[in-house]
Amino acid sequence: MRPPAPGADIVVFSALGKESAAVMDHLEGPLAEHEVRGALFELGEFTGEHATWRVACHETGEGNAAAAALVERAVTEFEPHHIFFVGIAGGLKDVQLCDVVAARHIYDYERGKDEEEGFQARITTHLSSFALVQRAQSVARSEIWRDRIRAPLPDRTPKAYVKPLAAGSKVVVSERSATARLLARHCGDALAVEMEGYGFLQAAYVNAGVGALVVRGISDLLSDKGEDNDDVWQPAASRCAAAFTFEVLSKLSAPPVRRGGLGNFVGELRRTRQPGGQATIGFGPDHSAVVIGGDGSIERWDLKSGESLPGVPGEGELRLGHQAIASPCRHSVAIARRTRLELVHFVGTSGEHRRRTAPLAQDEFLVTSGGTVVATHDGRRLAVRDFEDGRILREVPCPRGLAASAISTDASVVAMATSNKVHVHQRHRGSVELDIRNRLGILKPGCWLSVSPSGRYVACATFRELRVWLTDDQTIVLHREFSRQESVDSLGAQGMRLLCTDEGKVLWLRRGLLSQVTHQPEIRHLEQAGRYDDFAVHPDGNLLAAVSGTSLVRTWEWNG
């Protein structure tokens, strides 16, 4: 169990020591150190025109894979607003030594297929964040950024560009090499080539809400590899890239204040159907919300306008508990009825829909998570099913004494828990078994389980404690032991629901009251009116909705 991370609004990555040194020259000291699972970050402050930013710096080493891994680690730890990769690159065309290129997008030039007739390139790209590209364009049009260069340059007046870059693992030293010819043929508008930017942007892409930009100074040219590049031009180009980056940062507006828990109340959606039984809520694509009633009726709303969308009436009771799920990825709903799994597919936001069914065994229940796929379980196996027709795609054996199960959106991570063990299965990576403590062990009490949408985290709550693990290495990122009164509050409670977000935040619905579980001594009840059947967090992580047996669905901004 490690201590909470210090705050950092910005994280700046570099591959080489001379690049990191150029970045840290812009920070106000003394610098503090913080270790994240062996990776050392150095933190300082930078005062811009609109805000003072807390900045964490890290030297990743060379390569796309290293950059991607360290970005993931830093975003999880610090939850920054923006991340930058700053360093040097080799110029391909239209640039001179010490010029700066901020990447509009980056090509992965090594992706392709090696066939009998030769290598067939299949170039892919990732974009820098739109807002940071816009700010970089504004800075590039001005010469003011040059005033931030920390030391004189060797007879150069650098220029700045916002253009594409190319990234790969090769060090390209000749314009006549096969790689240089491939770059000219498939990445013709790239001004420079480097080694980490694509992996950096790929990692940023899967972390919604984090701005990302790659900034490179030109330290050598493909057409002119001089002997003094490493000693003279690499430090000079690093200083230019750092100067441009901090000019961009100086112009950024102050970040919004992060207030934990619920933010502003957004509004209410009025239900027209109020069947008996427990209601289930979820968010669908195209800014829609979905409620499934206790009889399988489906109601939908457009969140932008607040207007209702066409739904379908109910057709009888569902199985006990939360036995329905609304997909966040498609306009589809899965409902577990007494003898069958029913899949309802809408055509966009229209009322046109079709139904598909698959048989369910008497003791088979719906796993109330997923999205691109759906899952069911009995005491023997968990079946991952196609969300289109319910056919079984793969099966995972259940542990003896199964008490709870959960899957990530695509079921790449499957978790199943007994009263004191959590079994985590990662597709293509095998399984691990995690320990968790419970009370009244002789009675084999139950537990509650959640996998975050991407599969990054697994959370489990028992009558004794809550634990949240990082899936990749099983690091415990949150551990909360419950008091005896908190344990008593859970006994016999119906409709309890645990949810873990992709930021590792944990929400818990107990006896109709919605709470957030943190390191703090008290479980924090969130602002709410009434008691709820179910709740959901929007895939973008910025909205929360809850439904009860009344006619209202309530929505809030979520700043968890």
Side-chain angles (χ1 to χ4, degrees), residues 220-289:
D220 57 76
L221 303 174
L222 202 57
S223 59
D224 182 18
K225 295 282 187 181
E227 294 181 358
D228 55 355
N229 287 117
D230 289 358
D231 295 334
V232 177
W233 296 112
Q234 284 188 1
S238 298
R239 296 198 300 274
C240 292
F244 185 92
T245 300
F246 280 93
E247 181 64 19
V248 169
L249 184 53
S250 75
K251 301 293 185 182
L252 295 181
S253 300
V257 176
R258 286 175 170 159
R259 184 166 72 92
L262 297 186
N264 295 327
F265 177 67
V266 175
E268 294 177 334
L269 308 171
R270 188 165 295 277
R271 299 177 64 191
T272 58
R273 302 180 178 91
Q274 292 179 250
Q278 206 163 33
T280 300
I281 192 168
F283 290 102
D286 300 328
H287 304 286
S288 61

Coordinates of all heavy atoms in Angstrom, one line a residue, residues 220-289:
D220 N 19.6 16.8 -36.0 CA 20.4 16.4 -37.1 C 19.5 16.3 -38.3 O 18.3 16.2 -38.2 CB 21.1 15.0 -36.8 CG 20.2 13.9 -36.5 OD1 19.5 13.4 -37.4 OD2 20.1 13.6 -35.3
L221 N 20.1 16.2 -39.5 CA 19.4 16.1 -40.7 C 19.7 14.9 -41.4 O 20.9 14.4 -41.5 CB 19.7 17.3 -41.6 CG 19.4 18.7 -41.0 CD1 19.9 19.8 -42.0 CD2 17.9 18.9 -40.7
L222 N 18.8 14.2 -42.1 CA 19.0 13.0 -42.8 C 20.0 13.2 -43.9 O 20.8 12.3 -44.2 CB 17.7 12.4 -43.3 CG 17.6 10.9 -43.6 CD1 18.0 10.1 -42.4 CD2 16.3 10.6 -44.2
S223 N 20.0 14.4 -44.4 CA 20.9 14.7 -45.6 C 22.3 15.1 -45.1 O 23.2 15.3 -45.9 CB 20.3 15.7 -46.5 OG 20.0 16.9 -45.7
D224 N 22.5 15.3 -43.8 CA 23.7 15.9 -43.3 C 24.0 15.5 -41.9 O 23.6 16.2 -40.9 CB 23.7 17.4 -43.4 CG 25.0 18.0 -43.0 OD1 26.0 17.3 -42.9 OD2 25.1 19.3 -42.7
K225 N 24.6 14.3 -41.7 CA 24.8 13.8 -40.3 C 26.2 14.2 -39.9 O 27.2 13.6 -40.3 CB 24.7 12.3 -40.3 CG 23.3 11.7 -40.6 CD 22.5 11.9 -39.3 CE 21.1 11.2 -39.5 NZ 20.3 11.3 -38.3
G226 N 26.4 15.3 -39.2 CA 27.7 15.8 -38.8 C 28.2 15.1 -37.5 O 27.5 14.5 -36.8
E227 N 29.5 15.2 -37.3 CA 30.2 14.5 -36.2 C 29.8 15.1 -34.9 O 29.9 14.5 -33.8 CB 31.7 14.5 -36.4 CG 32.1 13.7 -37.6 CD 33.7 13.7 -37.7 OE1 34.3 14.3 -36.9 OE2 34.2 13.0 -38.6
D228 N 29.4 16.4 -34.9 CA 29.2 17.1 -33.6 C 27.7 17.2 -33.3 O 27.3 17.9 -32.4 CB 29.7 18.6 -33.7 CG 29.1 19.3 -34.9 OD1 28.4 18.7 -35.7 OD2 29.4 20.5 -35.0
N229 N 26.9 16.3 -33.9 CA 25.5 16.3 -33.6 C 25.2 16.0 -32.1 O 24.4 16.8 -31.5 CB 24.7 15.3 -34.5 CG 24.6 15.8 -35.9 OD1 25.1 15.1 -36.8 ND2 23.9 16.9 -36.2
D230 N 25.8 15.0 -31.6 CA 25.4 14.5 -30.2 C 25.9 15.6 -29.2 O 25.1 15.9 -28.2 CB 26.1 13.2 -29.9 CG 25.4 12.1 -30.7 OD1 24.5 12.3 -31.4 OD2 25.9 10.9 -30.6
D231 N 27.1 16.1 -29.4 CA 27.6 17.0 -28.3 C 27.1 18.4 -28.4 O 26.9 19.1 -27.4 CB 29.2 17.0 -28.4 CG 29.8 15.7 -28.1 OD1 29.2 14.9 -27.4 OD2 30.9 15.4 -28.7
V232 N 26.8 18.9 -29.6 CA 26.4 20.3 -29.8 C 24.9 20.5 -30.1 O 24.2 21.2 -29.4 CB 27.3 21.0 -30.9 CG1 26.8 22.4 -31.2 CG2 28.8 20.9 -30.6
W233 N 24.5 19.8 -31.1 CA 23.1 20.0 -31.6 C 22.0 19.3 -30.8 O 20.9 19.8 -30.7 CB 23.0 19.7 -33.1 CG 23.9 20.5 -33.9 CD1 25.0 20.1 -34.6 CD2 23.8 21.9 -34.1 NE1 25.6 21.2 -35.2 CE2 24.8 22.3 -35.0 CE3 22.9 22.9 -33.7 CZ2 25.0 23.6 -35.4 CZ3 23.1 24.2 -34.1 CH2 24.1 24.6 -34.9
Q234 N 22.3 18.2 -30.2 CA 21.3 17.6 -29.3 C 20.9 18.4 -28.1 O 19.7 18.7 -27.9 CB 21.7 16.2 -28.9 CG 21.6 15.1 -30.0 CD 21.8 13.7 -29.5 OE1 22.1 13.5 -28.3 NE2 21.8 12.7 -30.4
P235 N 21.9 18.9 -27.3 CA 21.5 19.8 -26.3 C 20.8 21.1 -26.8 O 19.9 21.6 -26.1 CB 22.8 20.1 -25.6 CG 23.7 19.0 -25.9 CD 23.3 18.6 -27.3
A236 N 21.3 21.7 -27.9 CA 20.7 22.9 -28.4 C 19.3 22.7 -28.9 O 18.3 23.5 -28.6 CB 21.6 23.4 -29.5
A237 N 19.1 21.6 -29.6 CA 17.7 21.3 -30.0 C 16.8 20.9 -28.9 O 15.6 21.3 -28.9 CB 17.8 20.1 -31.0
S238 N 17.3 20.3 -27.8 CA 16.5 20.0 -26.7 C 16.0 21.3 -26.0 O 14.9 21.4 -25.6 CB 17.3 19.2 -25.7 OG 17.6 17.9 -26.2
R239 N 16.9 22.3 -25.9 CA 16.6 23.6 -25.3 C 15.5 24.3 -26.1 O 14.6 24.9 -25.6 CB 17.8 24.5 -25.2 CG 18.9 23.9 -24.3 CD 19.9 25.0 -23.8 NE 20.6 25.6 -24.9 CZ 21.7 25.2 -25.5 NH1 22.2 24.0 -25.0 NH2 22.3 25.8 -26.5
C240 N 15.5 24.2 -27.4 CA 14.5 24.8 -28.3 C 13.2 24.1 -28.1 O 12.1 24.8 -28.0 CB 14.9 24.7 -29.8 SG 16.4 25.8 -30.1
A241 N 13.2 22.8 -28.1 CA 11.9 22.1 -27.9 C 11.3 22.4 -26.5 O 10.1 22.6 -26.4 CB 12.1 20.6 -28.0
A242 N 12.1 22.5 -25.5 CA 11.6 22.8 -24.2 C 11.1 24.2 -24.1 O 10.0 24.5 -23.5 CB 12.7 22.6 -23.1
A243 N 11.8 25.2 -24.7 CA 11.3 26.6 -24.7 C 9.9 26.7 -25.4 O 9.0 27.4 -24.9 CB 12.3 27.4 -25.5
F244 N 9.8 26.0 -26.5 CA 8.5 26.0 -27.2 C 7.4 25.4 -26.4 O 6.3 26.0 -26.2 CB 8.6 25.3 -28.6 CG 7.3 25.4 -29.4 CD1 7.2 26.4 -30.4 CD2 6.3 24.4 -29.3 CE1 6.0 26.4 -31.1 CE2 5.2 24.5 -30.0 CZ 5.0 25.5 -31.0
T245 N 7.7 24.3 -25.7 CA 6.7 23.6 -24.9 C 6.2 24.5 -23.8 O 5.0 24.6 -23.5 CB 7.3 22.3 -24.3 OG1 7.7 21.5 -25.4 CG2 6.3 21.6 -23.4
F246 N 7.1 25.2 -23.1 CA 6.7 26.0 -21.9 C 6.1 27.3 -22.4 O 5.3 27.9 -21.6 CB 7.9 26.2 -21.0 CG 8.2 25.0 -20.1 CD1 9.1 24.0 -20.5 CD2 7.5 24.8 -18.9 CE1 9.3 22.9 -19.7 CE2 7.7 23.7 -18.1 CZ 8.6 22.7 -18.5
E247 N 6.3 27.7 -23.6 CA 5.6 28.9 -24.1 C 4.1 28.4 -24.3 O 3.2 29.2 -24.0 CB 6.2 29.4 -25.4 CG 5.5 30.6 -25.9 CD 5.5 31.9 -25.0 OE1 6.3 31.9 -24.1 OE2 4.6 32.8 -25.3
V248 N 3.9 27.2 -24.9 CA 2.6 26.7 -25.0 C 1.9 26.6 -23.7 O 0.7 27.1 -23.5 CB 2.6 25.3 -25.7 CG1 1.2 24.6 -25.6 CG2 3.0 25.4 -27.2
L249 N 2.6 26.1 -22.7 CA 2.0 25.9 -21.4 C 1.7 27.2 -20.7 O 0.7 27.4 -20.0 CB 3.0 25.1 -20.5 CG 2.6 24.7 -19.1 CD1 1.2 24.0 -19.1 CD2 3.6 23.9 -18.4
S250 N 2.5 28.2 -21.0 CA 2.3 29.5 -20.4 C 1.0 30.2 -20.9 O 0.4 31.0 -20.2 CB 3.5 30.5 -20.6 OG 3.4 30.9 -22.0
K251 N 0.5 29.8 -22.0 CA -0.7 30.4 -22.6 C -1.9 29.6 -22.2 O -3.0 30.1 -22.5 CB -0.5 30.4 -24.1 CG 0.7 31.2 -24.7 CD 0.5 32.7 -24.4 CE 1.7 33.5 -25.0 NZ 1.6 34.9 -24.7
L252 N -1.8 28.5 -21.6 CA -3.0 27.7 -21.4 C -3.8 28.3 -20.2 O -3.2 28.8 -19.2 CB -2.6 26.2 -21.0 CG -2.0 25.4 -22.1 CD1 -1.6 24.0 -21.7 CD2 -2.8 25.4 -23.4
S253 N -5.1 28.1 -20.3 CA -6.0 28.6 -19.2 C -5.8 27.8 -18.0 O -5.4 26.6 -18.0 CB -7.4 28.6 -19.7 OG -7.6 29.4 -20.8
A254 N -6.1 28.4 -16.8 CA -6.1 27.6 -15.6 C -7.0 26.4 -15.6 O -8.1 26.5 -16.1 CB -6.4 28.5 -14.4
P255 N -6.5 25.3 -15.1 CA -7.4 24.1 -15.1 C -8.6 24.3 -14.2 O -8.5 25.0 -13.2 CB -6.5 23.0 -14.6 CG -5.5 23.7 -13.7 CD -5.3 25.1 -14.4
P256 N -9.7 23.6 -14.5 CA -10.9 23.7 -13.6 C -10.5 23.1 -12.2 O -9.7 22.1 -12.2 CB -11.9 22.9 -14.3 CG -11.2 22.0 -15.2 CD -10.0 22.7 -15.6
V257 N -11.1 23.6 -11.2 CA -10.9 23.1 -9.9 C -11.6 21.7 -9.8 O -12.7 21.5 -10.2 CB -11.5 24.0 -8.8 CG1 -11.4 23.3 -7.4 CG2 -10.8 25.3 -8.8
R258 N -10.8 20.7 -9.3 CA -11.4 19.4 -9.2 C -12.0 19.2 -7.9 O -11.4 19.1 -6.9 CB -10.3 18.3 -9.4 CG -9.8 18.2 -10.8 CD -8.6 17.2 -10.8 NE -8.2 16.9 -12.2 CZ -7.0 16.4 -12.6 NH1 -6.1 16.3 -11.6 NH2 -6.8 16.1 -13.8
R259 N -13.4 19.2 -7.9 CA -14.1 18.9 -6.7 C -14.6 17.5 -6.7 O -15.3 17.1 -7.6 CB -15.3 19.9 -6.6 CG -16.1 19.8 -5.3 CD -17.0 20.9 -5.1 NE -18.1 20.9 -6.0 CZ -19.3 20.3 -5.7 NH1 -19.4 19.7 -4.5 NH2 -20.3 20.3 -6.6
G260 N -14.2 16.7 -5.7 CA -14.5 15.3 -5.7 C -16.0 15.1 -5.6 O -16.7 15.9 -5.0
G261 N -16.5 14.0 -6.1 CA -17.9 13.6 -6.0 C -18.8 14.3 -7.0 O -18.3 14.6 -8.1
L262 N -20.0 14.5 -6.7 CA -20.9 15.0 -7.6 C -20.7 16.5 -7.8 O -20.4 17.2 -6.9 CB -22.4 14.8 -7.2 CG -22.9 13.4 -7.0 CD1 -24.3 13.4 -6.7 CD2 -22.6 12.6 -8.3
G263 N -20.8 16.9 -9.1 CA -20.7 18.3 -9.4 C -22.1 18.9 -9.5 O -23.0 18.6 -8.7
N264 N -22.3 19.8 -10.4 CA -23.6 20.5 -10.6 C -24.7 19.5 -11.0 O -24.5 18.6 -11.8 CB -23.5 21.6 -11.6 CG -22.6 22.7 -11.2 OD1 -22.5 23.0 -10.0 ND2 -21.9 23.3 -12.1
F265 N -25.9 19.7 -10.4 CA -27.0 18.9 -10.8 C -27.4 19.3 -12.3 O -27.5 20.5 -12.6 CB -28.2 19.2 -9.9 CG -29.5 18.5 -10.2 CD1 -29.6 17.1 -10.1 CD2 -30.6 19.2 -10.7 CE1 -30.7 16.5 -10.5 CE2 -31.8 18.6 -11.0 CZ -31.8 17.2 -10.9
V266 N -27.5 18.3 -13.1 CA -27.7 18.6 -14.5 C -29.2 18.6 -14.9 O -29.7 19.5 -15.5 CB -27.0 17.5 -15.4 CG1 -27.4 17.7 -16.9 CG2 -25.5 17.6 -15.2
G267 N -30.0 17.7 -14.4 CA -31.4 17.7 -14.7 C -32.1 16.4 -14.4 O -31.5 15.4 -13.8
E268 N -33.4 16.4 -14.7 CA -34.2 15.2 -14.4 C -34.8 14.7 -15.7 O -35.2 15.5 -16.6 CB -35.3 15.5 -13.4 CG -34.7 15.8 -12.0 CD -35.8 16.2 -11.0 OE1 -36.9 16.7 -11.5 OE2 -35.6 15.9 -9.8
L269 N -34.9 13.4 -15.9 CA -35.6 12.8 -17.0 C -36.8 12.1 -16.5 O -36.7 11.4 -15.5 CB -34.7 11.8 -17.7 CG -33.3 12.3 -18.2 CD1 -32.4 11.2 -18.7 CD2 -33.4 13.4 -19.2
R270 N -37.9 12.3 -17.1 CA -39.2 11.8 -16.5 C -39.6 10.5 -17.2 O -39.7 10.4 -18.4 CB -40.3 12.8 -16.7 CG -41.6 12.4 -15.9 CD -42.6 13.5 -15.8 NE -42.0 14.6 -15.0 CZ -42.1 14.6 -13.7 NH1 -42.7 13.6 -13.0 NH2 -41.6 15.6 -13.0
R271 N -39.8 9.4 -16.4 CA -40.2 8.1 -16.9 C -41.7 8.1 -17.1 O -42.5 8.7 -16.4 CB -39.8 7.0 -15.9 CG -38.3 6.9 -15.6 CD -38.0 5.8 -14.6 NE -38.4 4.5 -15.1 CZ -38.5 3.4 -14.3 NH1 -38.2 3.6 -13.0 NH2 -38.8 2.3 -14.8
T272 N -42.1 7.4 -18.2 CA -43.5 7.3 -18.5 C -44.0 5.9 -18.0 O -45.2 5.8 -17.9 CB -43.8 7.5 -20.0 OG1 -43.0 6.5 -20.7 CG2 -43.4 8.9 -20.4
R273 N -43.1 5.0 -17.8 CA -43.5 3.6 -17.3 C -42.9 3.4 -15.9 O -41.8 3.7 -15.7 CB -43.0 2.6 -18.3 CG -43.5 2.7 -19.7 CD -42.9 1.6 -20.6 NE -43.3 1.6 -21.9 CZ -42.7 2.3 -22.9 NH1 -41.6 2.9 -22.6 NH2 -43.2 2.3 -24.1
Q274 N -43.7 2.9 -15.0 CA -43.3 2.6 -13.7 C -43.7 1.2 -13.2 O -44.5 1.1 -12.3 CB -43.8 3.7 -12.7 CG -43.3 5.1 -12.9 CD -43.9 6.1 -12.0 OE1 -44.6 6.9 -12.3 NE2 -43.5 5.9 -10.7
P275 N -43.2 0.2 -13.9 CA -43.5 -1.1 -13.5 C -42.9 -1.5 -12.2 O -42.0 -0.8 -11.7 CB -42.9 -2.0 -14.6 CG -41.7 -1.2 -15.1 CD -42.2 0.3 -15.0
G276 N -43.3 -2.6 -11.5 CA -42.7 -3.0 -10.3 C -41.3 -3.6 -10.6 O -40.9 -3.8 -11.7
G277 N -40.6 -4.0 -9.5 CA -39.3 -4.6 -9.7 C -38.2 -3.5 -9.8 O -38.5 -2.3 -9.7
Q278 N -37.0 -4.0 -9.9 CA -35.9 -3.1 -9.8 C -35.5 -2.5 -11.2 O -35.4 -3.3 -12.2 CB -34.7 -3.9 -9.3 CG -33.6 -3.1 -8.6 CD -32.8 -4.0 -7.7 OE1 -32.5 -5.1 -8.1 NE2 -32.3 -3.5 -6.6
A279 N -35.3 -1.2 -11.3 CA -34.9 -0.6 -12.5 C -33.4 -0.6 -12.7 O -32.7 -0.6 -11.7 CB -35.5 0.8 -12.6
T280 N -33.0 -0.7 -14.0 CA -31.5 -0.6 -14.3 C -31.3 0.6 -15.2 O -32.1 0.8 -16.1 CB -31.1 -1.9 -15.0 OG1 -31.4 -3.0 -14.2 CG2 -29.6 -1.9 -15.4
I281 N -30.2 1.3 -15.0 CA -29.9 2.4 -15.9 C -28.5 2.3 -16.5 O -27.6 1.6 -16.0 CB -29.9 3.7 -15.0 CG1 -29.9 5.0 -16.0 CG2 -28.8 3.8 -14.0 CD1 -30.2 6.3 -15.3
G282 N -28.4 2.9 -17.7 CA -27.1 2.9 -18.4 C -27.0 4.0 -19.4 O -28.0 4.7 -19.7
F283 N -25.8 4.3 -19.8 CA -25.6 5.3 -20.9 C -25.4 4.6 -22.2 O -24.6 3.6 -22.3 CB -24.5 6.2 -20.6 CG -24.7 7.2 -19.4 CD1 -24.2 6.9 -18.2 CD2 -25.4 8.3 -19.6 CE1 -24.4 7.8 -17.1 CE2 -25.7 9.2 -18.6 CZ -25.1 8.9 -17.3
G284 N -26.0 5.0 -23.3 CA -25.8 4.5 -24.6 C -25.0 5.5 -25.4 O -24.6 6.5 -25.0
P285 N -24.7 5.1 -26.7 CA -23.9 6.0 -27.6 C -24.8 7.2 -28.0 O -26.0 7.3 -27.7 CB -23.6 5.1 -28.8 CG -24.7 4.1 -28.8 CD -25.0 3.8 -27.3
D286 N -24.2 8.1 -28.6 CA -24.9 9.3 -29.2 C -25.6 10.1 -28.0 O -26.7 10.6 -28.2 CB -25.9 9.0 -30.2 CG -25.2 8.3 -31.4 OD1 -24.1 8.6 -31.7 OD2 -25.9 7.4 -32.0
H287 N -24.9 10.2 -26.9 CA -25.4 11.0 -25.8 C -26.8 10.6 -25.4 O -27.7 11.4 -25.2 CB -25.4 12.5 -26.1 CG -24.1 13.0 -26.5 ND1 -23.1 13.2 -25.6 CD2 -23.6 13.3 -27.8 CE1 -22.0 13.6 -26.3 NE2 -22.3 13.7 -27.6
S288 N -27.0 9.3 -25.2 CA -28.3 8.8 -24.8 C -28.2 8.1 -23.4 O -27.2 7.7 -23.0 CB -28.9 7.8 -25.8 OG -28.0 6.7 -25.9
A289 N -29.4 8.1 -22.7 CA -29.5 7.4 -21.5 C -30.6 6.3 -21.6 O -31.6 6.6 -22.4 CB -29.9 8.3 -20.3

